[in-house]
Amino acid sequence: MKDIFDECYLGDLKLKSRIVRTGTWETETEDGGFLTPAVFERYKKMASSGVGAIVSEIFALDHKDRFFPYSTSLNYKGFIKDYKMITGIAHEYDVPILGQLAFFYYDDGENQKVEANEITPEGIRKLQAEVIMAAKKFLFAGFDGIQINMGNNFYLARFMNPYFNQREDKYGGNTENRVRISSEIIKVIKSTMDMHVSCRINPWDVRKGGITADESIAIARELEKAGADSIQLTARTISQIYDKGEKHPFLVYVDDLIDAVDIPVILGGSLREMAKINDVLNNSKVELVSMSKPFVAQADFLADWKENGEGVAICQSCNNCYSKKTSTCFKYVE
């Protein structure tokens, strides 16, 4: 029988449990980006609670990005010092930590919001170089890896989506070509840095002419071929396939994905109860589960679950922390 508190591996990273915490927004900063004491306390609570791995809050590439005001920055003066302290906290408790990079817009130097069909090959090289440099900065700050968000509705998700990408060069057309911009990034990171590379992808699209489940699996295979170490599932929207809360929306897809790749797959998507997570673990091929909002409501809830052998997150899935883009809970204030 599998249990969420089993020791396991995420690629070469040893985990103390099957739970991967995924961050979203970071709003507890001051003086141009420096982290407040509340951020360090939050990470200490998470790392000491029994979490398997931590994925940071979103880091943005550019101060002009749509979500920059709600994200962490790679470019403020205290970045290396602050995040060496953050990664040090995680490592003190033997918890691997990945830096999450996600950007909605891209500025190629000529267009602040250049999209897939308009960006030039030179602009693609510039984008790739900036992502690779972000990975190098994460490495300097002590992160064990980088998670590149290629899901939700972020830039790289749109770039590899046929709904948005009708390019006629080697970065458009078939699946391999549309994923090429990301595959080339991964190849450089893996050949030049000792880092875990995780990719967040959508299992499908809800747009006509968008990504299907079969193509999503093909995308995952291309990312694996390039050297990605893990895949994490996310989605632009999953509401259309909920079955009145009785069935996890990704379970119609995840076993097929796990069969198709030889790297770990992290299941995401609104799981809140220990018993239900263990049910998923023991009735599917899932080995790892990610959680986000429950850690906003209570950063150390896993400690209670481990002590009691059961538990339900106090998070009520009101979604205010996500929709209002804050790193704090609206209902539960410590």
Side-chain angles (χ1 to χ4, degrees):
M1 294 284 288
K2 289 184 286 186
D3 182 82
I4 67 170
F5 292 109
D6 293 337
E7 289 189 354
C8 58
Y9 283 86
L10 177 65
D12 292 334
L13 302 175
K14 187 176 182 180
L15 278 55
K16 294 191 292 186
S17 78
R18 299 182 184 275
I19 301 298
V20 177
R21 178 269 189 173
T22 298
T24 49
W25 315 117
E26 183 57 86
T27 53
E28 293 180 287
T29 58
E30 58 188 6
D31 300 330
F34 288 86
L35 304 182
T36 66
V39 179
F40 298 100
E41 182 63 21
R42 183 200 316 154
Y43 271 87
K44 184 174 182 179
K45 287 182 176 180
M46 288 189 298
S48 63
S49 70
V51 70
I54 294 174
V55 178
S56 77
E57 282 74 29
I58 289 171
F59 284 86
L61 273 180
D62 190 327
H63 70 279
K64 298 184 289 295
D65 192 73
R66 175 178 177 180
F67 298 124
F68 182 82
Y70 323 105
S71 303
T72 42
S73 174
L74 286 157
N75 300 314
Y76 72 98
K77 291 181 179 179
F79 165 72
I80 295 293
K81 181 179 179 181
D82 274 357
Y83 278 93
K84 275 194 171 181
M85 292 175 66
I86 291 292
T87 57
I89 290 170
H91 294 152
E92 179 183 351
Y93 293 96
D94 298 320
V95 176
I97 181 168
L98 310 182
Q100 182 188 173
L101 185 71
F103 50 100
F104 193 85
Y105 296 131
Y106 184 67
D107 181 357
D108 66 352
E110 297 182 3
N111 185 339
Q112 291 185 7
K113 300 178 182 179
V114 66
E115 288 292 344
N117 289 336
E118 287 76 42
I119 189 169
T120 64
E122 293 74 21
I124 288 173
R125 292 289 176 265
K126 180 174 180 290
L127 182 155
Q128 291 172 321
E130 290 186 30
V131 175
I132 293 163
M133 182 57 69
K136 180 67 75 173
K137 289 180 179 180
F138 285 147
L139 187 64
F140 289 158
F143 286 95
D144 300 291
I146 181 172
Q147 183 174 90
I148 307 173
N149 197 326
M150 305 172 186
N152 305 116
N153 208 29
F154 286 108
Y155 191 89
L156 293 175
R158 299 197 306 278
F159 197 101
M160 59 190 183
N161 191 326
Y163 182 90
F164 294 101
N165 184 342
Q166 291 86 42
R167 297 177 69 95
E168 296 182 353
D169 61 2
K170 68 178 183 177
Y171 294 100
N174 62 30
T175 304
E176 179 182 4
N177 284 354
R178 283 181 277 108
V179 178
R180 189 184 304 276
I181 186 173
S182 299
S183 297
E184 291 177 344
I185 290 169
I186 294 167
K187 288 175 181 177
V188 173
I189 294 173
K190 293 302 297 182
S191 65
T192 59
M193 303 173 218
D194 183 16
M195 295 190 81
H196 183 104
V197 176
S198 181
C199 301
R200 292 186 78 181
I201 67 169
N202 299 328
W204 49 71
D205 200 12
V206 294
R207 301 180 180 93
K208 185 177 180 180
I211 289 173
T212 64
D214 287 343
E215 185 166 22
S216 175
I217 290 173
I219 287 170
R221 284 174 171 159
E222 290 297 325
L223 296 171
E224 178 187 21
K225 188 190 306 181
D229 296 290
S230 65
I231 298 291
Q232 181 174 346
L233 292 182
T234 184
R236 190 174 71 91
T237 177
I238 56 177
S239 59
Q240 291 192 5
I241 54 168
Y242 267 114
D243 183 15
K244 298 180 180 179
E246 295 299 319
K247 189 171 184 179
H248 190 284
F250 293 160
L251 290 181
V252 298
Y253 160 90
V254 69
D255 279 351
D256 290 339
L257 174 61
I258 290 170
D259 283 340
V261 296
D262 291 323
I263 55 177
V265 173
I266 306 166
L267 177 70
S270 301
L271 287 164
R272 299 284 184 269
E273 185 176 343
M274 183 173 173
K276 287 187 177 179
I277 295 172
N278 277 332
D279 182 66
V280 168
L281 290 171
N282 287 289
N283 290 283
S284 72
K285 297 177 181 178
V286 171
E287 299 284 342
L288 297 155
V289 172
S290 69
M291 304 177 78
S292 176
K293 300 180 189 72
F295 286 99
V296 178
Q298 182 186 357
D300 57 357
F301 72 94
L302 284 177
D304 295 336
W305 286 20
K306 189 171 185 178
E307 180 179 355
N308 299 327
E310 61 180 6
V312 180
I314 62 174
C315 173
Q316 297 185 356
S317 300
C318 68
N319 211 40
N320 275 314
C321 62
Y322 184 81
S323 61
K324 296 183 185 300
K325 299 177 178 61
T326 177
S327 52
T328 55
C329 182
F330 282 74
K331 185 172 179 62
Y332 301 104
V333 180
E334 296 181 348

